[in-house]
Amino acid sequence: MKTRTIAEPYKIKMVEPIKMTTREYRVEKIREAGYNTFLLKSEDVYIDLLTDSGTSAMSDWQWSGMMLGDEAYAGSRNFYNLEKAVQEIYGFQYVVPTHQGRAAEHITSQLRIKRGQYVPMNMYFTTTREHVERAGGIFYDCIIDEAHDAQNPHPFKGNVDVRKLQKLVDEKGADAIAYLSIAPCVNMAGGQPFSMANLREVAEWAKRYDLPIIFDATRAVENAYFIQQREPGYANKSVREILREMMSYGEGMTISSKKDNLVNIGGFLATNNEHFFAKAKEMVVVFEGLHTYGGLAGRDMEAIARGIYEMVDDAYIASRVRQVHYLGNRLLNAGIPIVVPIGGHAVFLDAKRFLPHIPQEQFPAQALAAALYVDSGVRAMERGIVSAGRDPKTGENRKPKLELVRLTIPRRVYTNLHMDVVAESCMALYEERDKIRGLRMVYEPESLRFFQARFEEL
Ligand SMILES: *Cc1c(COP(=O)(O)O)cnc(C)c1O
Protein backbone atom coordinates (compact mmCIF):
# COMPACT_ATOMS: atom_id res chain seq x y z
CA MET A 1 0.00 0.00 0.00
CA LYS A 2 1.09 3.57 -0.63
CA THR A 3 1.80 5.84 2.34
CA ARG A 4 -1.41 6.68 4.16
CA THR A 5 -2.65 10.21 4.68
CA ILE A 6 -1.94 11.61 8.12
CA ALA A 7 -4.34 14.39 9.10
CA GLU A 8 -4.04 17.14 11.68
CA PRO A 9 -4.30 15.97 15.33
CA TYR A 10 -6.93 18.62 16.10
CA LYS A 11 -10.30 19.82 14.85
CA ILE A 12 -11.76 23.28 14.30
CA LYS A 13 -13.88 24.79 17.09
CA MET A 14 -13.98 28.46 16.05
CA VAL A 15 -13.60 30.07 12.63
CA GLU A 16 -12.43 33.48 11.48
CA PRO A 17 -14.04 34.55 8.18
CA ILE A 18 -11.67 35.87 5.52
CA LYS A 19 -12.69 38.22 2.72
CA MET A 20 -13.03 36.93 -0.83
CA THR A 21 -12.09 39.64 -3.32
CA THR A 22 -12.12 40.04 -7.10
CA ARG A 23 -9.14 40.38 -9.35
CA GLU A 24 -10.10 43.98 -10.26
CA TYR A 25 -10.21 44.84 -6.54
CA ARG A 26 -6.77 43.35 -5.96
CA VAL A 27 -5.25 45.12 -8.99
CA GLU A 28 -6.39 48.38 -7.41
CA LYS A 29 -5.18 47.46 -3.90
CA ILE A 30 -1.69 46.37 -4.95
CA ARG A 31 -1.29 49.58 -6.95
CA GLU A 32 -2.35 51.58 -3.89
CA ALA A 33 0.18 49.59 -1.84
CA GLY A 34 3.00 50.50 -4.25
CA TYR A 35 3.40 46.80 -5.26
CA ASN A 36 4.67 46.08 -1.75
CA THR A 37 2.82 43.30 0.10
CA PHE A 38 3.87 44.80 3.46
CA LEU A 39 1.69 47.83 2.63
CA LEU A 40 -1.49 45.82 1.97
CA LYS A 41 -4.18 45.84 4.61
CA SER A 42 -4.60 42.42 6.17
CA GLU A 43 -8.36 42.55 5.53
CA ASP A 44 -7.71 42.69 1.77
CA VAL A 45 -5.71 39.44 1.93
CA TYR A 46 -7.28 36.03 1.37
CA ILE A 47 -4.49 33.66 2.47
CA ASP A 48 -1.78 35.40 4.47
CA LEU A 49 1.64 33.77 4.08
CA LEU A 50 3.64 36.89 4.92
CA THR A 51 5.10 35.34 8.07
CA ASP A 52 4.65 32.57 10.62
CA SER A 53 5.61 34.95 13.43
CA GLY A 54 2.84 35.49 15.97
CA THR A 55 0.27 34.16 13.50
CA SER A 56 -0.32 30.74 15.10
CA ALA A 57 -3.77 29.55 16.16
CA MET A 58 -3.88 28.85 19.90
CA SER A 59 -5.60 25.75 21.27
CA ASP A 60 -8.63 25.64 23.60
CA TRP A 61 -6.18 24.64 26.38
CA GLN A 62 -4.10 27.78 25.75
CA TRP A 63 -7.19 30.02 25.55
CA SER A 64 -8.57 28.62 28.78
CA GLY A 65 -5.17 29.26 30.36
CA MET A 66 -5.50 32.93 29.35
CA MET A 67 -8.48 33.15 31.73
CA LEU A 68 -6.22 31.97 34.54
CA GLY A 69 -3.87 34.93 34.19
CA ASP A 70 -2.47 36.04 37.55
CA GLU A 71 -1.81 39.71 36.83
CA ALA A 72 0.23 40.35 39.96
CA TYR A 73 3.20 42.68 39.52
CA ALA A 74 5.54 40.23 41.23
CA GLY A 75 5.63 36.46 41.47
CA SER A 76 2.70 35.66 39.14
CA ARG A 77 1.73 31.99 39.23
CA ASN A 78 1.91 31.97 35.44
CA PHE A 79 5.61 32.83 35.61
CA TYR A 80 6.23 29.72 37.69
CA ASN A 81 4.26 27.63 35.19
CA LEU A 82 6.41 29.05 32.40
CA GLU A 83 9.58 28.36 34.37
CA LYS A 84 8.51 24.76 34.95
CA ALA A 85 7.68 24.24 31.26
CA VAL A 86 11.09 25.57 30.21
CA GLN A 87 12.86 23.39 32.79
CA GLU A 88 11.00 20.26 31.72
CA ILE A 89 11.03 20.73 27.94
CA TYR A 90 14.16 22.76 27.17
CA GLY A 91 16.14 21.72 30.25
CA PHE A 92 17.30 25.16 31.37
CA GLN A 93 17.01 26.06 35.03
CA TYR A 94 16.70 29.85 34.94
CA VAL A 95 14.17 31.81 32.89
CA VAL A 96 13.78 35.54 32.15
CA PRO A 97 10.62 36.44 30.17
CA THR A 98 10.71 39.26 27.59
CA HIS A 99 8.09 40.89 25.37
CA GLN A 100 9.51 39.09 22.31
CA GLY A 101 12.64 37.42 21.01
CA ARG A 102 14.65 40.51 20.11
CA ALA A 103 14.48 41.77 23.71
CA ALA A 104 16.11 38.54 24.91
CA GLU A 105 18.76 39.03 22.21
CA HIS A 106 19.34 42.58 23.39
CA ILE A 107 19.97 41.51 26.99
CA THR A 108 22.14 38.56 26.01
CA SER A 109 24.27 40.59 23.57
CA GLN A 110 24.80 43.47 25.99
CA LEU A 111 25.82 41.16 28.83
CA ARG A 112 27.90 38.60 26.99
CA ILE A 113 29.82 40.54 24.33
CA LYS A 114 32.88 42.69 24.95
CA ARG A 115 33.44 45.37 22.30
CA GLY A 116 35.37 43.92 19.35
CA GLN A 117 34.60 40.27 20.12
CA TYR A 118 33.37 37.90 17.42
CA VAL A 119 30.08 36.04 17.57
CA PRO A 120 30.07 33.07 15.17
CA MET A 121 26.60 32.21 13.85
CA ASN A 122 25.27 29.67 11.38
CA MET A 123 24.18 32.38 8.93
CA TYR A 124 22.49 35.42 10.40
CA PHE A 125 19.09 36.51 11.52
CA THR A 126 18.24 40.21 11.12
CA THR A 127 17.52 41.12 14.75
CA THR A 128 20.13 38.77 16.23
CA ARG A 129 22.92 40.26 14.12
CA GLU A 130 21.72 43.80 14.77
CA HIS A 131 21.90 43.28 18.55
CA VAL A 132 25.32 41.67 18.32
CA GLU A 133 26.60 44.65 16.33
CA ARG A 134 25.00 47.19 18.67
CA ALA A 135 26.84 45.55 21.56
CA GLY A 136 30.12 46.05 19.67
CA GLY A 137 30.32 42.44 18.50
CA ILE A 138 31.35 41.22 15.05
CA PHE A 139 29.17 38.73 13.19
CA TYR A 140 31.12 35.75 11.78
CA ASP A 141 29.33 33.36 9.43
CA CYS A 142 30.24 29.73 10.22
CA ILE A 143 27.51 27.89 8.30
CA ILE A 144 28.55 25.29 5.70
CA ASP A 145 28.96 26.61 2.13
CA GLU A 146 26.08 24.43 0.89
CA ALA A 147 23.62 26.69 2.75
CA HIS A 148 24.28 29.51 0.32
CA ASP A 149 23.24 27.41 -2.70
CA ALA A 150 19.46 27.23 -3.30
CA GLN A 151 19.77 24.03 -5.35
CA ASN A 152 22.05 22.02 -3.08
CA PRO A 153 20.01 19.09 -1.66
CA HIS A 154 22.13 18.64 1.53
CA PRO A 155 19.75 17.32 4.25
CA PHE A 156 21.33 19.46 6.98
CA LYS A 157 22.11 22.78 5.36
CA GLY A 158 22.00 24.48 8.78
CA ASN A 159 25.21 22.67 9.86
CA VAL A 160 28.18 24.57 11.23
CA ASP A 161 31.52 24.27 9.42
CA VAL A 162 33.92 23.57 12.31
CA ARG A 163 36.89 24.42 10.06
CA LYS A 164 35.57 27.97 9.82
CA LEU A 165 35.44 28.13 13.63
CA GLN A 166 38.97 26.75 13.87
CA LYS A 167 40.20 29.31 11.36
CA LEU A 168 38.78 32.11 13.50
CA VAL A 169 40.45 30.79 16.66
CA ASP A 170 43.75 30.25 14.83
CA GLU A 171 43.72 33.81 13.53
CA LYS A 172 42.25 35.74 16.44
CA GLY A 173 42.50 33.46 19.50
CA ALA A 174 39.65 32.01 21.55
CA ASP A 175 39.48 35.11 23.76
CA ALA A 176 38.30 37.08 20.74
CA ILE A 177 35.07 35.07 20.70
CA ALA A 178 32.16 35.93 22.99
CA TYR A 179 30.07 32.80 22.46
CA LEU A 180 28.68 30.67 19.63
CA SER A 181 25.18 31.71 18.55
CA ILE A 182 23.65 28.61 16.99
CA ALA A 183 20.20 28.66 15.36
CA PRO A 184 18.17 25.55 14.59
CA CYS A 185 16.21 25.55 11.29
CA VAL A 186 18.08 28.53 9.90
CA ASN A 187 15.49 31.01 8.64
CA MET A 188 17.62 32.92 6.15
CA ALA A 189 18.85 29.66 4.58
CA GLY A 190 15.25 28.59 3.95
CA GLY A 191 14.39 26.95 7.29
CA GLN A 192 17.23 24.41 7.07
CA PRO A 193 18.14 22.20 10.06
CA PHE A 194 21.46 21.10 11.56
CA SER A 195 22.12 17.49 12.50
CA MET A 196 22.71 16.25 16.04
CA ALA A 197 26.07 14.81 14.93
CA ASN A 198 27.12 18.27 13.77
CA LEU A 199 25.92 19.91 16.97
CA ARG A 200 27.82 17.34 19.03
CA GLU A 201 30.98 18.04 17.02
CA VAL A 202 30.55 21.79 17.51
CA ALA A 203 29.95 21.36 21.24
CA GLU A 204 33.08 19.21 21.63
CA TRP A 205 35.11 21.77 19.73
CA ALA A 206 33.68 24.64 21.82
CA LYS A 207 34.47 22.83 25.07
CA ARG A 208 38.14 22.65 24.12
CA TYR A 209 38.26 26.45 24.03
CA ASP A 210 35.82 26.95 26.89
CA LEU A 211 33.35 28.75 24.61
CA PRO A 212 29.64 28.58 25.48
CA ILE A 213 26.87 27.87 22.98
CA ILE A 214 23.83 30.11 23.29
CA PHE A 215 21.03 28.91 21.02
CA ASP A 216 18.63 31.10 19.12
CA ALA A 217 16.10 28.33 19.81
CA THR A 218 13.22 30.00 17.96
CA ARG A 219 12.74 27.07 15.53
CA ALA A 220 14.24 24.25 17.59
CA VAL A 221 11.20 21.96 17.46
CA GLU A 222 11.08 21.96 13.66
CA ASN A 223 14.80 21.11 13.70
CA ALA A 224 14.19 18.26 16.18
CA TYR A 225 11.54 16.86 13.83
CA PHE A 226 14.00 16.84 10.89
CA ILE A 227 16.56 15.01 13.06
CA GLN A 228 13.91 12.39 13.90
CA GLN A 229 13.05 11.97 10.21
CA ARG A 230 16.51 12.13 8.65
CA GLU A 231 19.30 11.26 11.08
CA PRO A 232 20.34 7.66 11.78
CA GLY A 233 19.62 6.63 15.37
CA TYR A 234 16.78 9.09 16.00
CA ALA A 235 13.79 7.50 14.24
CA ASN A 236 12.50 5.95 17.46
CA LYS A 237 13.10 8.95 19.70
CA SER A 238 10.35 11.48 20.42
CA VAL A 239 10.72 15.08 19.32
CA ARG A 240 10.60 15.98 23.00
CA GLU A 241 13.63 13.76 23.75
CA ILE A 242 15.52 15.05 20.72
CA LEU A 243 14.88 18.68 21.65
CA ARG A 244 16.13 18.00 25.16
CA GLU A 245 19.33 16.44 23.84
CA MET A 246 19.89 19.39 21.46
CA MET A 247 19.53 21.93 24.23
CA SER A 248 21.82 19.94 26.54
CA TYR A 249 24.79 21.06 24.42
CA GLY A 250 24.12 24.72 25.18
CA GLU A 251 24.60 26.98 28.16
CA GLY A 252 21.44 28.89 27.37
CA MET A 253 19.00 30.12 24.77
CA THR A 254 17.00 33.07 23.55
CA ILE A 255 13.70 32.53 21.79
CA SER A 256 10.87 34.27 20.00
CA SER A 257 7.81 32.48 21.38
CA LYS A 258 5.90 33.77 18.34
CA LYS A 259 7.15 30.75 16.34
CA ASP A 260 7.57 27.26 17.93
CA ASN A 261 5.77 28.19 21.16
CA LEU A 262 2.40 28.68 19.41
CA VAL A 263 1.50 32.11 20.79
CA ASN A 264 0.88 35.55 19.32
CA ILE A 265 3.40 37.47 21.46
CA GLY A 266 6.28 36.75 23.83
CA GLY A 267 9.80 35.46 24.24
CA PHE A 268 12.37 34.67 26.92
CA LEU A 269 15.95 33.85 27.68
CA ALA A 270 16.87 30.75 29.64
CA THR A 271 20.20 29.51 30.96
CA ASN A 272 21.99 27.24 33.38
CA ASN A 273 24.58 29.94 34.09
CA GLU A 274 23.72 31.41 37.49
CA HIS A 275 25.88 34.50 37.08
CA PHE A 276 24.40 35.36 33.67
CA PHE A 277 20.91 34.84 35.11
CA ALA A 278 21.63 37.26 37.95
CA LYS A 279 22.85 39.92 35.52
CA ALA A 280 19.95 39.34 33.11
CA LYS A 281 17.46 39.79 35.95
CA GLU A 282 19.01 43.17 36.72
CA MET A 283 18.87 44.29 33.12
CA VAL A 284 15.37 43.07 32.26
CA VAL A 285 13.92 45.37 34.91
CA VAL A 286 15.37 48.40 33.11
CA PHE A 287 14.19 47.50 29.61
CA GLU A 288 11.19 45.17 29.94
CA GLY A 289 9.75 44.83 33.45
CA LEU A 290 10.28 42.88 36.63
CA HIS A 291 12.03 39.53 36.11
CA THR A 292 8.85 37.54 36.78
CA TYR A 293 6.93 39.15 33.88
CA GLY A 294 9.46 40.90 31.60
CA GLY A 295 6.97 42.86 29.50
CA LEU A 296 4.30 40.15 29.37
CA ALA A 297 0.90 39.84 31.00
CA GLY A 298 0.43 36.83 33.28
CA ARG A 299 -2.03 35.36 30.77
CA ASP A 300 0.57 35.61 27.99
CA MET A 301 3.08 33.64 30.07
CA GLU A 302 0.42 30.98 30.69
CA ALA A 303 -0.26 30.67 26.95
CA ILE A 304 3.50 30.25 26.30
CA ALA A 305 3.84 27.64 29.06
CA ARG A 306 1.01 25.60 27.56
CA GLY A 307 2.27 26.13 24.00
CA ILE A 308 5.65 24.69 25.06
CA TYR A 309 4.01 21.39 26.04
CA GLU A 310 1.86 21.31 22.89
CA MET A 311 4.71 22.01 20.47
CA VAL A 312 6.56 18.78 21.33
CA ASP A 313 3.59 16.56 20.52
CA ASP A 314 4.97 14.32 17.74
CA ALA A 315 1.68 14.25 15.81
CA TYR A 316 1.38 18.04 15.89
CA ILE A 317 4.90 18.87 14.73
CA ALA A 318 4.72 16.20 12.02
CA SER A 319 1.53 17.70 10.63
CA ARG A 320 2.99 21.22 10.78
CA VAL A 321 6.12 20.38 8.79
CA ARG A 322 4.21 18.01 6.49
CA GLN A 323 1.87 20.82 5.50
CA VAL A 324 4.84 22.93 4.43
CA HIS A 325 6.11 19.95 2.45
CA TYR A 326 2.68 19.31 0.95
CA LEU A 327 2.75 22.77 -0.61
CA GLY A 328 6.40 22.48 -1.63
CA ASN A 329 5.93 19.08 -3.25
CA ARG A 330 2.92 20.26 -5.25
CA LEU A 331 5.08 23.05 -6.66
CA LEU A 332 8.05 20.75 -7.32
CA ASN A 333 5.81 18.25 -9.14
CA ALA A 334 4.54 21.08 -11.36
CA GLY A 335 8.13 21.99 -12.28
CA ILE A 336 8.08 25.30 -10.42
CA PRO A 337 11.52 26.44 -9.26
CA ILE A 338 11.78 26.47 -5.45
CA VAL A 339 14.60 26.22 -2.90
CA VAL A 340 15.40 22.61 -1.96
CA PRO A 341 15.28 20.78 0.35
CA ILE A 342 11.92 22.19 1.47
CA GLY A 343 12.40 23.80 4.91
CA GLY A 344 10.45 23.62 8.16
CA HIS A 345 8.31 26.76 8.00
CA ALA A 346 8.18 28.09 4.45
CA VAL A 347 8.47 27.38 0.75
CA PHE A 348 10.68 29.74 -1.21
CA LEU A 349 9.97 30.45 -4.89
CA ASP A 350 13.18 31.02 -6.85
CA ALA A 351 12.24 34.23 -8.68
CA LYS A 352 15.45 34.29 -10.75
CA ARG A 353 14.47 31.05 -12.46
CA PHE A 354 10.72 31.78 -12.36
CA LEU A 355 11.14 35.10 -14.19
CA PRO A 356 14.41 34.85 -16.14
CA HIS A 357 13.28 37.70 -18.42
CA ILE A 358 13.30 40.22 -15.53
CA PRO A 359 16.81 41.46 -14.58
CA GLN A 360 17.56 41.68 -10.85
CA GLU A 361 17.55 45.52 -11.00
CA GLN A 362 13.85 45.29 -11.91
CA PHE A 363 13.02 43.41 -8.70
CA PRO A 364 11.75 40.02 -9.97
CA ALA A 365 10.82 38.66 -6.51
CA GLN A 366 8.94 41.84 -5.61
CA ALA A 367 7.09 41.63 -8.94
CA LEU A 368 6.26 37.96 -8.40
CA ALA A 369 4.89 38.56 -4.89
CA ALA A 370 2.68 41.35 -6.27
CA ALA A 371 1.49 39.14 -9.16
CA LEU A 372 0.63 36.33 -6.74
CA TYR A 373 -1.54 38.70 -4.71
CA VAL A 374 -3.34 39.93 -7.83
CA ASP A 375 -3.93 36.37 -9.07
CA SER A 376 -5.38 34.87 -5.88
CA GLY A 377 -5.23 37.22 -2.88
CA VAL A 378 -2.30 35.24 -1.43
CA ARG A 379 0.20 37.43 0.40
CA ALA A 380 3.90 36.44 0.35
CA MET A 381 7.12 38.32 1.04
CA GLU A 382 10.10 39.37 -1.07
CA ARG A 383 13.50 38.05 0.06
CA GLY A 384 15.89 39.35 -2.58
CA ILE A 385 17.45 42.56 -3.80
CA VAL A 386 14.89 44.81 -2.07
CA SER A 387 15.38 43.11 1.32
CA ALA A 388 19.18 43.12 0.89
CA GLY A 389 19.30 46.95 0.73
CA ARG A 390 22.29 49.04 -0.29
CA ASP A 391 25.95 48.71 0.63
CA PRO A 392 26.52 51.43 3.26
CA LYS A 393 29.99 52.22 1.80
CA THR A 394 29.35 52.35 -1.96
CA GLY A 395 25.63 53.16 -1.90
CA GLU A 396 25.12 50.48 -4.57
CA ASN A 397 22.31 47.92 -4.41
CA ARG A 398 23.52 44.72 -2.79
CA LYS A 399 22.87 41.91 -5.28
CA PRO A 400 22.16 38.76 -3.27
CA LYS A 401 22.62 35.39 -4.95
CA LEU A 402 19.16 34.37 -3.81
CA GLU A 403 16.17 36.26 -5.24
CA LEU A 404 13.23 34.62 -3.49
CA VAL A 405 9.56 34.90 -2.65
CA ARG A 406 8.79 33.41 0.76
CA LEU A 407 5.50 31.56 1.31
CA THR A 408 5.45 31.19 5.09
CA ILE A 409 2.90 28.85 6.65
CA PRO A 410 1.30 29.90 9.96
CA ARG A 411 0.85 27.07 12.49
CA ARG A 412 -2.57 25.37 12.78
CA VAL A 413 -4.24 28.14 10.73
CA TYR A 414 -4.85 26.97 7.15
CA THR A 415 -6.03 23.70 5.64
CA ASN A 416 -4.42 21.84 2.77
CA LEU A 417 -7.19 23.15 0.50
CA HIS A 418 -5.77 26.61 1.18
CA MET A 419 -2.37 25.18 0.20
CA ASP A 420 -3.95 23.91 -3.04
CA VAL A 421 -5.21 27.42 -3.82
CA VAL A 422 -1.67 28.74 -3.29
CA ALA A 423 -0.10 26.01 -5.42
CA GLU A 424 -2.59 26.47 -8.26
CA SER A 425 -2.04 30.22 -8.24
CA CYS A 426 1.73 29.71 -8.54
CA MET A 427 1.14 27.25 -11.42
CA ALA A 428 -1.15 29.69 -13.24
CA LEU A 429 1.44 32.44 -12.90
CA TYR A 430 4.20 30.10 -14.07
CA GLU A 431 2.27 29.30 -17.25
CA GLU A 432 1.81 32.99 -17.97
CA ARG A 433 5.15 34.12 -16.56
CA ASP A 434 6.07 36.07 -19.72
CA LYS A 435 3.27 38.51 -18.89
CA ILE A 436 4.74 39.48 -15.52
CA ARG A 437 6.63 42.75 -15.82
CA GLY A 438 9.48 44.17 -13.76
CA LEU A 439 9.15 47.11 -11.37
CA ARG A 440 10.73 50.50 -10.80
CA MET A 441 11.29 51.76 -7.26
CA VAL A 442 9.66 55.16 -6.80
CA TYR A 443 10.11 55.56 -3.02
CA GLU A 444 13.04 54.19 -1.05
CA PRO A 445 13.42 54.52 2.73
CA GLU A 446 17.00 54.68 4.01
CA SER A 447 16.95 51.63 6.27
CA LEU A 448 15.10 48.31 6.12
CA ARG A 449 13.62 49.56 2.86
CA PHE A 450 11.62 46.41 2.10
CA PHE A 451 8.98 47.34 4.69
CA GLN A 452 8.00 50.68 3.13
CA ALA A 453 9.44 50.91 -0.39
CA ARG A 454 6.98 51.73 -3.20
CA PHE A 455 7.11 50.60 -6.83
CA GLU A 456 5.44 51.07 -10.21
CA GLU A 457 5.05 48.57 -13.01
CA LEU A 458 7.37 48.98 -16.00
C1 LIG B 1 11.54 35.95 14.79
C2 LIG B 1 12.94 35.61 15.11
C3 LIG B 1 13.69 36.38 16.01
C4 LIG B 1 13.17 37.66 16.64
O1 LIG B 1 12.12 37.45 17.48
P1 LIG B 1 10.93 38.50 17.67
O2 LIG B 1 9.98 37.81 18.57
O3 LIG B 1 10.36 38.80 16.31
O4 LIG B 1 11.52 39.72 18.31
C5 LIG B 1 14.98 35.95 16.29
N1 LIG B 1 15.52 34.88 15.71
C6 LIG B 1 14.84 34.14 14.82
C7 LIG B 1 15.49 32.94 14.20
C8 LIG B 1 13.53 34.47 14.48
O5 LIG B 1 12.86 33.74 13.57
Side-chain angles (χ1 to χ4, degrees):
M1 188 150 65
K2 293 204 346 212
T3 46
R4 301 276 292 258
T5 300
I6 300 175
E8 291 79 2
Y10 51 83
K11 59 185 176 178
I12 297 165
K13 165 147 30 194
M14 188 189 278
V15 296
E16 177 184 346
I18 41 181
K19 191 158 86 183
M20 310 292 286
T21 54
T22 62
R23 186 184 181 90
E24 294 71 52
Y25 183 86
R26 296 190 294 269
V27 166
E28 184 58 33
K29 290 298 163 190
I30 197 71
R31 196 181 299 127
E32 280 173 24
Y35 295 86
N36 185 343
T37 52
F38 278 102
L39 299 178
L40 288 167
K41 286 188 182 151
S42 143
E43 64 174 20
D44 293 328
V45 172
Y46 176 42
I47 299 172
D48 202 347
L49 306 187
L50 190 72
T51 175
D52 65 338
S53 178
T55 55
S56 299
M58 294 208 297
S59 66
D60 54 356
W61 191 52
Q62 285 177 294
W63 276 109
S64 59
M66 299 276 289
M67 295 305 290
L68 302 175
D70 170 6
E71 306 307 341
Y73 191 88
S76 161
R77 105 167 73 84
N78 313 114
F79 168 76
Y80 295 103
N81 291 346
L82 172 62
E83 189 184 58
K84 183 158 164 280
V86 174
Q87 288 167 349
E88 284 181 9
I89 301 299
Y90 288 101
F92 294 113
Q93 205 53 37
Y94 308 116
V95 183
V96 178
T98 57
H99 80 281
Q100 54 183 79
R102 66 198 68 185
E105 292 169 353
H106 171 222
I107 293 169
T108 303
S109 304
Q110 291 292 331
L111 292 176
R112 302 299 296 262
I113 300 169
K114 290 197 208 95
R115 202 150 276 285
Q117 273 187 321
Y118 289 86
V119 180
M121 297 187 214
N122 49 345
M123 215 176 246
Y124 73 97
F125 185 75
T126 49
T127 57
T128 324
R129 183 172 68 182
E130 180 73 26
H131 279 297
V132 164
E133 289 174 352
R134 277 170 180 262
I138 304 164
F139 160 73
Y140 179 83
D141 190 5
C142 63
I143 204 165
I144 57 172
D145 289 338
E146 287 86 340
H148 293 282
D149 174 3
Q151 293 314 304
N152 192 304
H154 195 295
F156 291 108
K157 270 166 131 174
N159 277 357
V160 170
D161 188 337
V162 176
R163 287 167 311 177
K164 290 184 186 174
L165 293 176
Q166 190 63 54
K167 185 162 171 277
L168 185 64
V169 164
D170 291 346
E171 282 172 13
K172 310 282 178 185
D175 290 344
I177 299 176
Y179 56 88
L180 309 185
S181 172
I182 304 297
C185 268
V186 182
N187 194 348
M188 302 306 266
Q192 304 293 337
F194 54 63
S195 68
M196 195 74 87
N198 181 253
L199 178 59
R200 220 175 283 125
E201 187 193 348
V202 172
E204 274 163 26
W205 179 88
K207 207 166 179 186
R208 248 189 284 151
Y209 296 100
D210 208 17
L211 291 170
I213 292 175
I214 300 181
F215 290 106
D216 175 351
T218 298
R219 298 173 191 285
V221 180
E222 287 159 11
N223 200 122
Y225 174 73
F226 282 122
I227 288 174
Q228 185 192 55
Q229 297 300 307
R230 293 180 184 168
E231 190 161 350
Y234 287 91
N236 295 318
K237 291 213 160 98
S238 68
V239 162
R240 181 172 172 157
E241 288 171 295
I242 296 168
L243 176 65
R244 193 60 194 263
E245 185 191 337
M246 271 167 61
M247 293 295 113
S248 74
Y249 298 114
E251 182 214 87
M253 60 179 272
T254 60
I255 186 170
S256 168
S257 294
K258 300 172 74 173
K259 324 290 178 25
D260 271 357
N261 292 169
L262 292 163
V263 294
N264 306 119
I265 195 71
F268 57 88
L269 71 83
T271 181
N272 286 331
N273 177 334
E274 212 171 322
H275 178 69
F276 174 39
F277 175 56
K279 288 286 170 201
K281 274 196 291 187
E282 284 173 32
M283 194 165 168
V284 77
V285 186
V286 181
F287 288 96
E288 298 282 297
L290 196 71
H291 63 277
T292 55
Y293 76 87
L296 292 170
R299 54 179 173 270
D300 294 328
M301 291 189 284
E302 189 62 34
I304 298 172
R306 294 182 179 208
I308 287 173
Y309 290 109
E310 289 184 355
M311 74 181 184
V312 288
D313 173 49
D314 284 286
Y316 152 69
I317 188 63
S319 81
R320 188 278 186 283
V321 177
R322 276 160 173 268
Q323 184 173 49
V324 176
H325 285 232
Y326 175 81
L327 173 61
N329 283 322
R330 278 214 64 181
L331 296 175
L332 275 180
N333 292 338
I336 294 180
I338 63 170
V339 174
V340 290
I342 302 162
H345 70 297
V347 176
F348 292 77
L349 300 174
D350 186 343
K352 264 191 192 168
R353 287 190 296 141
F354 201 115
L355 301 173
H357 59 287
I358 302 183
Q360 200 170 17
E361 300 74 40
Q362 294 178 12
F363 313 109
Q366 189 79 27
L368 183 54
L372 183 65
Y373 172 72
V374 169
D375 184 73
S376 56
V378 172
R379 171 154 72 172
M381 179 197 291
E382 192 259 12
R383 282 274 112 132
I385 187 167
V386 182
S387 296
R390 290 181 185 273
D391 186 304
K393 286 202 190 95
T394 65
E396 294 293 312
N397 278 321
R398 288 192 183 114
K399 286 195 179 169
K401 259 215 251 169
L402 302 179
E403 179 74 21
L404 309 174
V405 172
R406 191 179 83 180
L407 303 163
T408 335
I409 318 299
R411 297 168 184 77
R412 303 194 294 206
V413 171
Y414 293 114
T415 67
N416 279 7
L417 281 179
H418 289 115
M419 296 302 111
D420 287 338
V421 168
V422 176
E424 287 165 20
S425 182
C426 293
M427 290 175 210
L429 290 174
Y430 195 56
E431 263 169 35
E432 307 244 292
R433 56 192 180 276
D434 302 346
K435 291 196 186 141
I436 300 174
R437 282 179 287 165
L439 300 170
R440 181 161 57 95
M441 205 186 309
V442 293
Y443 169 66
E444 180 179 356
E446 254 174 56
S447 70
L448 297 177
R449 65 181 183 183
F450 57 95
F451 285 126
Q452 314 249 12
R454 302 184 70 87
F455 301 83
E456 280 172 6
E457 250 184 330
L458 285 167

